[in-house]
Amino acid sequence: MNPGVSIVADDTRSWGLETPGPGLLLHVPAAGRWTRRPALHLDATRDYRIRLRGGSQTLLWTRIDAYWDHALFLRGTALFPQVLPPLSAPDVRAVEAASGTGAWWEAWDWRVARALVEAPLPVLHAGHWCLRPVRAIPAQKAERHPVSPMEWGFGQPPMPPHSLSAVTSFHTAWKEDWWETVPEQRPGAVLALRVPSSPEDGRVKSWRKRARDGTLPPVLLLYVDILAKWLVLDGHDRLHAALLEGVEPPLLGLWPYIDPPRLGNSVREEGALFSAEFQLRAGATPQTVERVNRMLVHSFTPEPKGTVSRAWPIPGGRETWREEIITRRRRGWLPPLEDLDWAWFT
């Protein structure tokens, strides 16, 4: 494993997600290969013009409205690169714990963490990362509107994933209305990065059998906060197989995070200690002790960790962006968008 990357158990009290198993924190140093742009990364220029790059090719262009009301998406023609080595039958059999148990999740946590660190096409960059099991929610229960940096700022916890069926569709250009959004486009939606395989594909059939047996390995998702989406990094066929079998696929979520410091507040902390002493003197019943402990934890706990996706500047800025969009539109058939939308996009 690449030296210098620290991997420890995740003791975060809450990410605001349903996490069915233990997770890991990856601390990636600002040295060597980790200081460069990963093979899979975001680029950006002014006015929320963003592109997702895989190697030297663009996989996705996105522009977000300044008021965070809508966004346009356009896929590139490049194939999504294989960021992790394909899983073999011996790889799957090597995890002997019962599927869904803490030991099973822990084994897959470590296997995927090592693969991410050793990957020839890296996704990680310098900073802190969380790798943790997550569970999908119904789209109707997702937040209705993305977290706009104008209102809340960046660094919010990741949104729960939903709309896993997106792996079976592959739109090349589309518009999302983030004010009156349909449930499948709400924050936390899952976005496939390649065309789905045929249900008759050999790997899909193999994974369908494991889905029926309850031994399907987890699908790896990457959360990109500025897009408010989970990208399928590894396991498109496994996710497709689970959908075909009508079973809930196990999901491993990956996201970069920041640990914002909570400024010390001597008045708050001293007040909490005084209140705890006063309550305990009145009688340390189990109920009182529990209430005091909750109060002290709240008063001395730092702010919750949040996720911020890093982006690098687009060389050439807006002119490069405009030329790329025009070239992409000329090269292939695209679903119709309004002329005003194309003009705004470029």
Side-chain angles (χ1 to χ4, degrees):
M1 198 165 71
N2 196 321
V5 177
S6 170
I7 304 178
V8 298
D10 180 16
D11 60 356
T12 307
R13 293 178 61 245
S14 174
W15 284 102
L17 300 167
E18 186 174 352
T19 55
L24 297 173
L25 299 180
L26 289 73
H27 304 294
V28 183
R33 66 184 294 213
W34 307 116
T35 61
R36 300 190 293 270
R37 300 186 192 200
L40 187 71
H41 67 273
L42 296 178
D43 288 341
T45 188
R46 294 173 54 189
D47 300 326
Y48 300 117
R49 292 174 171 89
I50 304 158
R51 66 184 189 184
L52 176 68
R53 301 278 279 179
S56 60
Q57 302 293 319
T58 298
L59 304 175
L60 183 72
W61 290 274
T62 304
R63 186 178 178 191
I64 302 172
D65 172 64
Y67 292 97
W68 234 251
D69 287 338
H70 65 270
L72 286 178
F73 296 82
L74 173 65
R75 292 188 189 271
T77 57
L79 296 177
F80 175 58
Q82 185 83 40
V83 295
L84 296 183
L87 285 174
S88 65
D91 291 332
V92 179
R93 289 195 297 268
V95 179
E96 298 178 349
S99 181
T101 61
W104 184 85
W105 278 117
E106 185 175 5
W108 280 110
D109 286 345
W110 280 97
R111 180 176 290 271
V112 173
R114 293 188 180 101
L116 286 167
V117 172
E118 297 169 355
L121 297 177
V123 176
L124 305 178
H125 54 69
H128 305 303
W129 296 78
C130 182
L131 179 68
R132 186 156 192 139
V134 294
R135 181 165 287 152
I137 64 172
Q140 292 77 7
K141 293 185 177 181
E143 294 288 340
R144 295 183 60 86
H145 195 70
V147 175
S148 165
M150 295 185 301
E151 299 171 304
W152 295 96
F154 293 108
Q156 304 299 316
M159 299 286 186
H162 65 84
S163 301
L164 303 181
S165 60
V167 73
T168 61
S169 60
F170 196 79
H171 302 297
T172 52
W174 70 98
K175 180 178 181 179
E176 293 186 1
D177 185 337
W178 286 358
W179 186 250
E180 297 293 339
T181 184
V182 298
E184 291 74 18
Q185 295 177 352
R186 290 178 179 176
V190 172
L191 181 65
L193 292 180
R194 68 167 176 80
V195 177
S197 301
S198 165
E200 301 305 313
D201 181 86
R203 286 188 65 83
V204 174
K205 287 184 174 181
S206 175
W207 291 129
R208 289 186 69 171
K209 182 178 184 303
R210 289 205 167 272
R212 291 193 298 270
D213 295 344
T215 58
L216 192 68
V219 177
L220 179 61
L221 306 178
L222 170 67
Y223 187 72
V224 180
D225 66 311
I226 196 168
L227 303 182
K229 294 186 186 299
W230 293 89
L231 309 181
V232 182
L233 279 191
D234 184 68
H236 284 79
D237 289 342
R238 297 196 293 277
L239 180 51
H240 193 185
L243 294 171
L244 290 170
E245 291 298 323
V247 302
E248 179 183 359
L251 305 174
L252 258 181
L254 174 70
W255 58 89
Y257 74 88
I258 57 173
D259 199 354
R262 184 176 188 179
L263 299 178
N265 186 320
S266 59
V267 174
R268 179 188 66 233
E269 295 169 357
E270 289 176 7
L273 292 173
F274 177 82
S275 176
E277 182 180 1
F278 178 80
Q279 293 183 62
L280 293 174
R281 281 183 178 176
T285 65
Q287 293 81 5
T288 301
V289 171
E290 182 182 0
R291 182 172 65 249
V292 167
N293 284 339
R294 287 201 307 268
M295 178 191 65
L296 291 174
V297 168
H298 176 75
S299 298
F300 287 86
T301 298
E303 295 294 335
K305 297 182 178 74
T307 179
V308 176
S309 297
R310 182 177 299 179
W312 282 259
I314 296 176
R318 292 173 61 175
E319 283 306 310
T320 297
W321 168 275
R322 182 175 182 275
E323 291 173 5
E324 289 179 349
I325 299 297
I326 292 173
T327 301
R328 172 66 183 95
R329 190 181 182 189
R330 287 173 179 167
R331 281 184 176 174
W333 181 88
L334 296 171
L337 290 174
E338 299 291 337
D339 288 341
L340 288 176
D341 289 332
W342 280 115
W344 177 77
F345 203 29
T346 55

